[in-house]
Amino acid sequence: MDLDSILDAEFDRNTLPARFMTRYEALISFIEDIVRQDNLSVALVTSGGTTVPLESRTVRFIDNFSSGTRGSSSAEYFLKQNYAVLYLHRRKSLKPFDRHLASMSPLDMLDMQQSGDVVVKEGYQLLCKEVLADKMKYSKYLYCCEFVDVSDYLILLKTCCQVLKPLRSRVMLYLAAAVSDFYIPSDNLPEHKIQSSDGSINLQLQIVPKALKPLVQFWIPDAYVVSFKLETDPQLLIPKAEKALKQYNHHLVIANVLEYRYQVGLCTFTGSFSHL
């Protein structure tokens, strides 16, 4: 079954992401505001990792290490380059601007004066001032939409593409989310929590259908599409990046080896490579 058929089946089963319609209406409103600004381009940035639930009423799930560092920092860059940004991110992963304070305890940054007023400690004032100023400056050009599991992500990604499609070449897709390669179809999930008293379990995971092909061909064919490739074996990196570019016919692949992903990147486009 292809990805579109799977997503249509999810709609038929009414297994939509939580508050889907509320977020859909907010997304439409955001895009309508962008459309009124003729010269403004839009970057759809995906960020963070997707979970793979092991139960329908999820207690346990398979996860990956992605925290959204690349996506959140890149979203800030796009905003500062005069893009509007639709930020599709994993719930509780890093967000643009907020990420600068994510490693700090809010209470450690605050002090209480004798008057009872709460103030930001002197050592944090400059950072908070700069981050808050940027967040306020770009807030009307940024819309954040959350996902949790891989089904949520794919449904919301397709929805975002359909909403952005009329903007044609004004759209860039920057697909930095760490999407699960394997999942358990919703029809095969047990309804209730798996009981450890039942003994060991055997999980049979299926391949998640690739979104790039329908995305490039049908969902939003006029957009500029950037994907990412991560490997632990450097020998596999270039061949797999080349294969992805040829197979899906998009524009750019940014490839990284796990240990050096923050220092070195390999960029491939139209058959050529360069280091970032």
Side-chain angles (χ1 to χ4, degrees):
M1 185 181 294
D2 63 26
L3 180 56
D4 281 313
S5 298
I6 291 172
L7 296 182
D8 289 343
E10 293 294 324
F11 273 93
D12 291 340
R13 282 192 292 268
N14 199 29
T15 54
L16 296 176
R19 299 180 291 107
F20 176 81
M21 289 309 301
T22 300
R23 285 181 288 176
Y24 179 75
E25 291 167 0
L27 172 62
I28 293 292
S29 177
F30 176 77
I31 297 303
E32 287 177 346
D33 288 342
I34 298 305
V35 169
R36 296 188 189 101
Q37 304 180 52
D38 293 336
N39 296 321
L40 197 60
S41 296
V42 182
L44 170 57
V45 178
T46 69
S47 185
T50 60
T51 67
V52 177
L54 301 186
E55 302 112 345
S56 291
R57 300 164 69 177
T58 306
V59 175
R60 301 181 181 90
F61 54 85
I62 301 170
D63 205 353
N64 61 55
F65 66 86
S66 177
S67 62
T69 300
R70 187 194 301 271
S72 59
S73 58
S74 297
E76 290 179 19
Y77 178 84
F78 284 121
L79 288 165
K80 293 176 181 180
Q81 296 300 312
N82 298 319
Y83 279 80
V85 173
L86 174 53
Y87 188 64
L88 184 58
H89 69 104
R90 163 77 174 273
R91 185 182 302 165
K92 298 184 179 179
S93 66
L94 296 176
K95 296 169 66 176
F97 308 113
D98 298 47
R99 70 185 180 93
H100 297 280
L101 306 176
S103 62
M104 307 172 191
S105 167
L107 293 181
D108 288 341
M109 294 190 295
L110 301 177
D111 202 359
M112 184 177 290
Q113 298 179 327
Q114 289 185 348
S115 63
D117 293 335
V118 176
V119 298
V120 177
K121 291 179 181 178
E122 185 175 350
Y124 297 104
Q125 287 180 2
L126 180 59
L127 174 62
C128 290
K129 182 178 179 180
E130 291 176 345
V131 172
L132 182 59
D134 280 343
K135 183 170 183 175
M136 293 176 66
K137 178 179 179 180
Y138 296 108
S139 61
K140 68 178 180 178
Y141 302 110
L142 173 66
Y143 177 74
C144 296
C145 184
E146 297 180 345
F147 63 83
V148 178
D149 63 43
V150 65
S151 295
D152 291 348
Y153 171 79
L154 292 172
I155 289 170
L156 290 168
L157 176 63
K158 182 177 181 180
T159 300
C160 290
C161 288
Q162 291 173 329
V163 172
L164 292 170
K165 187 176 181 179
L167 299 184
R168 301 175 65 87
S169 60
R170 289 168 59 187
V171 180
M172 171 184 283
L173 268 63
Y174 188 84
L175 305 175
V179 183
S180 307
D181 290 316
F182 307 95
Y183 80 123
I184 302 174
S186 56
D187 284 345
N188 298 341
L189 291 173
E191 179 182 359
H192 296 289
K193 176 187 173 185
I194 299 171
Q195 298 297 313
S196 58
S197 59
D198 293 337
S200 60
I201 60 172
N202 293 315
L203 296 177
Q204 184 171 3
L205 305 179
Q206 296 189 22
I207 299 289
V208 173
K210 299 299 183 184
L212 265 177
K213 187 171 184 179
L215 183 152
V216 171
Q217 290 186 352
F218 307 114
W219 296 358
I220 190 163
D222 297 313
Y224 189 93
V225 180
V226 181
S227 71
F228 290 79
K229 182 68 66 176
L230 177 74
E231 292 293 339
T232 57
D233 184 351
Q235 300 301 316
L236 295 177
L237 193 62
I238 293 177
K240 292 194 74 171
E242 285 182 325
K243 180 179 178 181
L245 200 63
K246 294 175 181 177
Q247 183 173 358
Y248 302 118
N249 198 32
H250 58 305
H251 301 87
L252 177 66
V253 178
I254 299 175
N256 300 99
V257 176
L258 175 64
E259 289 80 5
Y260 310 111
R261 65 190 184 278
Y262 296 130
Q263 292 80 34
V264 180
L266 190 62
C267 174
T268 177
F269 52 97
T270 61
S272 62
F273 288 89
S274 62
H275 286 279
L276 299 177

